[in-house]
């Protein structure tokens, strides 16, 4: 009897604060959101002790008059929603009317505000739940909110705050996200008198990325933009293939200016990078901005509004994937002009260079470094005189791997030229050795051929003109009955992929034709792999395009020359020539690199010359 | 060992033997050419890399002192080439595992290997499975071995199959996409059919065994090895294990849809039609119409080509694609003036070239997915 009581409002607010206010950075987030919603063009944040002691947010927004201030600390009081219908299309960052009440319940908060055009301002204070009367005060147009002694009255929460430096780091991250989301607003962050963030108005997102992550990285990023007028507009700054990070921290998604962890977009961006980034441990860098009608997205699903729910997730997925992919395919992966990551990394690195290649030109006359190659191992033939002309574009875009470094070295200007590659031989039956203009190039023959095949088959599939070589004697492959049934079922798919497969008695199929581009058609191995891919793909619900891509991937892998296959010099030249036409010749479809460059400088350093 | 030999035949024999010797082997004796001299048996030049073994007896030369010496093939060849120039005879002396080659102005001592380690000399095993003119065998090899498979896997197809019957010798090579077959009648074949697969390396050497086209070559199979004997040369090779697929079924029966043309004309038309193909898009479409063969190709980003050839073709029209290289490979090894019959049956069945002298070449077509 009488055990259930309605909680007093300040306790309710403290509980709500548990969800909304976690640490100083979340206070900063809520207050800056309000400032942006108020139409501020300049937002200044000043922190003391990482925000644990004092947080001040000053904006030049529309401000609040005395009446507004009186209601500001009330729970569920907001100017941003009027009725439930407004929840369907939330255009502002905040909307619940919880933030100020929550903050006021766990700290001493003071709001001083003066609406634009008003003669004077007013001030109101909330001391851990006790709201004072609104008093007139001197104020500049806009709003200043000061929050002091966060969690001073809630020791349980205060205990969980980290060091000032850590809390400050979170605050900086929060400011960074606002700065990227709203390039037209100036954001300033000062900590105990030191300016940590200072942005200029209208400098654009690339410049802002540069401020936070370094200009070299910012310069290296590609820019992607969906067609104007699309229902879901996508804008992104993304790493070219070959440039990646070990973690996904630099995959940031903003939906209508709000930083969110959106699984749909993140999945779409991974799909866009499919076969361009090594699997598992490497992550591309993407700053993604999705803009759409607020009615298409529900932001009211997470207390900190860190997630969204799409009305039509697949349209968003497709729009993001296609926009990013188009930018990646148009990219000419190149080599950075200067090292952008930490200095001191080893210089012999995988160069994400473009292979542009023409064959047949002889060695430059009198080239100082052009001795005849030794006899090709295995064949005993001498190398043909034909020299590979490989143009390596050194445009300003970064190299592959975390530690990519151009041989150009710091301070060098961008060089765009053609590099001649001279095949020297094959080592370990696996790597092609080429002499470039500035050092040694090693090529993984399997990886490169795999990439060549993958692209060729994909291209042909797109054009619907894959050449099919019929076999004189069909290859008979024994399969389980279930597998035979699957083959029957997927016969159309196989045919589209260039395989003519027919049932051949019980428990066997006959392969009558295979794609002409495969160098080592292995019908049995291929059939089994393709069935396996189709099976797992089905089970995990891959769509048709992804499934085909996975199958082509397997075909390219099985059909490519293997490590250990001896290659005739002519085959090497042909392979390099084919790499010319590719966009992503620097990595195999699984994202493994295809080439390693050791510059003259690397070699000289090693040999102490 | 001491012998006086005329330079030319010695150089020729040593050159052939050095092609057999291993170029690099952990067993150094396999890199050697052996010279055996006995007053009773004459002078023999031998080499073996275990897979292939060759032995040649020199017609001329004088053995002063019996003996045997084995020296690295490449060293021996280069020394003999140098000192043999302008010299009719050479004196070779083997002593303590070394070979001495002396001329008035040059003295060479080539260090050799222990002759005890040499592969034992071989003899031709009993009756021949086939005896035929050397020039015929060479042409059969030339017109088939190019069709062997090169890609890894399917090891048996890396070789050429010899099928011996009581009446004929049949030589076949295929890589699964095209097949070349040459047949020649023989007088005394084995009573039961015998099929073996021979690698391309020994076959290339067989073609060099004799210069005299009228010479007869004897072929025999014994203990997983095949033996070729021409005159005083004996070459043997280990066989490739495995079996060919049932290829007889894939050779199309005679079809009325065909025409006869000179090999050279057909080759020229094909070559022209394939000029604008690429490695990835390598096919030429053959359009069989009334008295006209139209060859065309098209490759994205490169261009298109169309070549017309008047041919005596009167059957229903037919249209199918081929990899031009496969057809050209065969036309190249035929006599350019030979009349070649080219037959097709349908767009998805193989085309067939026949040259009338027991030579058949079958190529599977190329189609394009929709």
């Amino acid at each position: 009897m009488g055990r259930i009581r309605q909680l007093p409002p300040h306790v309710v607010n403290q509980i709500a604060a548990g969800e909304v206010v976690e640490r100083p950075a979340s206070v900063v987030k809520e207050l800056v959101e309000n400032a942006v919603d108020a139409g501020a063009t300049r937002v200044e944040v000043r922190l003391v002790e990482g925000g644990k002691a004092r947080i001040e947010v000053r904006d030049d927004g529309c401000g609040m008059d005395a009446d507004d201030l009186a209601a500001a600390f009330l729970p569920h009081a907001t100017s941003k929603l009027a009725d439930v219908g407004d929840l369907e299309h939330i255009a502002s960052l905040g909307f619940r009317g919880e933030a100020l009440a929550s903050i006021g319940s766990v700290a001493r908060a003071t709001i001083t505000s003066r609406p634009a055009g008003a003669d004077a301002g007013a001030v109101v204070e909330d001391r851990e739940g006790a709201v004072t009367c609104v008093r007139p005060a001197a104020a500049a147009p806009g709003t200043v909110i000061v929050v002091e002694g966060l969690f001073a009255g809630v020791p349980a929460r205060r205990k969980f705050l980290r060091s000032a430096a850590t809390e400050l780091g979170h605050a900086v991250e929060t400011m960074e996200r606002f700065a990227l989301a709203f390039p037209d607003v100036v954001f300033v962050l000062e900590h105990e008198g030191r300016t940590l963030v200072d942005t200029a108005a209208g400098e654009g997102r690339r410049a802002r990325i540069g401020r936070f992550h370094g200009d070299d990285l910012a310069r290296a990023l590609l820019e992607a933009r969906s067609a104007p007028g699309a229902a879901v507009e996508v804008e992104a700054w993304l790493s070219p293939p070959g440039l990646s990070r070990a973690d996904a921290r630099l995959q940031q998604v903003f939906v209508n200016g709000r930083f969110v962890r959106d699984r749909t977009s993140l999945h779409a961006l991974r799909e866009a990078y499919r076969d361009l980034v090594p699997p598992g441990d490497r992550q591309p860098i993407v700053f993604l901005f999705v803009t759409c009608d607020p009615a298409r997205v529900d932001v009211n699903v997470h207390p900190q509004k860190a997630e969204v729910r799409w009305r039509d997730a697949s349209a968003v997925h497709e729009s993001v994937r296609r926009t990013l992919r188009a930018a990646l395919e148009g990219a000419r992966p190149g080599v950075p002009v200067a090292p952008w990551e930490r200095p001191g990394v080893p210089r012999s690195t995988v160069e994400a260079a473009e292979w542009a290649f023409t064959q047949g030109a002889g060695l430059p006359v009198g080239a100082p470094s052009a001795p005849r190659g030794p006899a090709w191992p295995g064949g005993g033939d001498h190398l043909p005189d034909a020299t590979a002309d490989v143009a390596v574009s050194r445009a300003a875009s970064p190299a592959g791997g975390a530690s990519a470094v151009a041989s150009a070295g710091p301070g060098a200007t961008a060089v765009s030229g053609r590099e001649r590659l001279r095949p020297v031989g094959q080592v370990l039956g696996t790597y092609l050795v080429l002499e470039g203009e500035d050092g040694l190039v090693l090529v993984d023959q399997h990886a490169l051929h795999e990439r060549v095949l993958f692209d060729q088959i994909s291209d042909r599939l797109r054009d619907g003109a894959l050449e099919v070589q019929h076999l004189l004697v069909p290859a008979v492959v024994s399969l389980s009955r279930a597998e035979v049934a699957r083959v029957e079922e997927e016969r159309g798919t196989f045919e589209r992929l260039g395989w003519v497969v027919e049932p051949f008695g019980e428990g066997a199929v006959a392969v009558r034709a295979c794609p002409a581009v495969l160098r080592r058609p292995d019908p049995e191995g291929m059939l089994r792999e393709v069935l396996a891919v189709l099976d797992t793909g089905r089970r995990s619900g891959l769509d048709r395009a992804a499934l085909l891509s996975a199958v082509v991937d397997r075909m390219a892998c099985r059909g490519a020359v293997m490590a250990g296959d001896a290659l005739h010099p002519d085959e090497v030249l042909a392979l390099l020539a084919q790499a010319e036409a590719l966009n992503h010749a620097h990595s195999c479809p699984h994202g493994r690199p295809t080439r390693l460059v050791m510059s003259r400088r690397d070699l000289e350093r090693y040999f102490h010359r | 060992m001491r012998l006086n030999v005329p330079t030319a035949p010695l150089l020729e024999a040593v050159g052939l033997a050095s092609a057999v010797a291993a170029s690099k082997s952990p067993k150094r004796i396999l890199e050697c050419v052996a010279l055996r001299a006995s007053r009773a048996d004459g002078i023999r030049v031998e080499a073996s890399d275990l897979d292939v073994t060759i032995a040649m007896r020199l017609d001329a030369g004088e053995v002063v002192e019996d003996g045997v010496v084995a020296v690295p093939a490449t060293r021996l060849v280069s020394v003999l080439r140098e000192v043999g120039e302008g010299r009719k005879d050479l004196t070779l002396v083997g002593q303590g595992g070394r070979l001495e080659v002396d001329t008035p102005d040059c003295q060479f001592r080539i260090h050799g290997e222990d002759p005890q380690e040499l592969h034992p000399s071989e003899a031709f095993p009993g009756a021949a499975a086939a005896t035929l003119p050397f020039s015929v065998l060479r042409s059969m090899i030339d017109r088939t071995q190019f069709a062997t498979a090169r890609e890894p896997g399917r090891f048996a197809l890396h070789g050429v199959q010899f099928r011996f019957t009581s009446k004929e010798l049949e030589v076949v090579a295929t890589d699964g996409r095209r097949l070349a077959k040459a047949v020649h009648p023989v007088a005394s074949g084995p009573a039961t059919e015998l099929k073996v697969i021979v690698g391309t390396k020994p076959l290339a050497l067989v073609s060099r065994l004799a210069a005299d086209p009228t010479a007869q070559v004897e072929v025999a199979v014994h203990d997983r090895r095949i033996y070729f004997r021409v005159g005083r040369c004996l070459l043997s090779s280990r066989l490739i294990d495995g079996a060919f697929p049932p290829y007889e079924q894939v050779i199309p029966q005679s079809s009325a849809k065909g025409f006869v043309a000179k090999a050279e004309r057909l080759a020229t038309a094909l070559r022209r039609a394939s000029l604008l193909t690429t490695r990835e898009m390598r096919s030429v479409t053959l359009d069989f119409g009334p008295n006209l063969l139209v060859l065309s190709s098209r490759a994205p980003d490169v261009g298109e080509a169309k070549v017309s050839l008047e041919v005596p073709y009167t059957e229903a029209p037919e249209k199918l694609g081929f990899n031009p290289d496969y057809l050209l490979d065969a036309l190249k090894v035929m006599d350019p003036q030979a009349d070649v019959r080219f037959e097709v049956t349908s767009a998805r069945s193989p085309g067939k070239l026949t040259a009338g002298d027991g030579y058949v070449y079958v190529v599977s077509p190329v189609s394009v997915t929709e």
Side-chain angles (χ1 to χ4, degrees), chain A residues 332-335 351-356 391-397 415-417:
Chain A
R332 287 271 173 263
V335 178
E351 218 175 284
E354 168 198 6
W355 294 76
V392 178
S393 138
R394 292 244 169 84
S397 64
V415 185
S416 187

Side-chain angles (χ1 to χ4, degrees), chain B residues 105-289:
Chain B
D105 46 355
C106 300
Q107 283 92 42
F108 293 99
R109 310 271 175 279
I110 310 174
H111 292 257
E113 298 294 314
D114 182 1
Q116 297 291 328
E117 294 177 32
L118 279 173
H119 192 67
S121 297
E122 290 178 330
F124 192 77
T131 304
L132 65 164
F134 177 71
S135 59
V136 171
L137 179 68
R138 189 162 61 185
S139 138
M140 291 171 86
I141 293 171
D142 284 351
R143 294 200 286 172
T144 50
Q145 59 85 22
F146 66 85
T148 50
R150 303 248 149 74
E151 67 261 25
R154 300 221 269 175
F155 219 57
L157 298 189
H158 286 219
V160 174
Q161 176 182 277
F162 281 60
R163 187 172 73 95
F164 302 93
T165 68
S166 57
K167 291 197 192 64
E168 59 185 26
L169 168 65
E170 179 193 273
V171 180
V172 179
T174 181
D175 62 1
R177 281 153 271 170
R178 34 61 182 285
L179 175 146
K181 182 176 95 163
V183 180
H184 189 76
V186 294
S188 57
T192 53
E193 184 188 77
L194 178 65
K195 285 190 205 171
V196 296
I197 302 173
V198 191
T200 49
K201 179 188 170 187
L203 290 180
L205 293 164
V206 167
S207 299
R208 291 170 61 183
L209 282 183
D212 174 11
T214 61
Q216 292 283 308
V217 56
E218 294 166 280
V219 190
V221 176
H222 176 70
D223 193 20
R224 302 302 303 149
R225 289 185 82 81
I226 188 166
Y227 294 80
F228 299 89
R229 182 166 68 183
V230 195
R232 294 166 183 278
C233 300
L234 174 65
L235 182 136
S236 79
S237 167
R238 180 183 287 173
L239 297 174
I240 293 180
D241 292 329
F244 266 37
Y247 56 89
E248 280 300 338
Q249 304 159 14
V250 311
I251 300 176
Q253 299 298 308
S254 278
S255 159
K257 289 186 177 173
F259 60 83
V260 176
K262 295 264 183 253
E264 194 177 29
R265 279 186 75 216
L266 199 50
T268 303
L270 270 164
R271 209 175 43 246
R272 290 176 177 172
S274 64
L275 287 177
L276 298 185
T277 59
T278 63
R279 229 179 121 92
E280 309 89 68
M281 284 295 272
R282 194 138 183 92
S283 72
V284 168
T285 303
L286 272 59
D287 214 330
F288 289 73

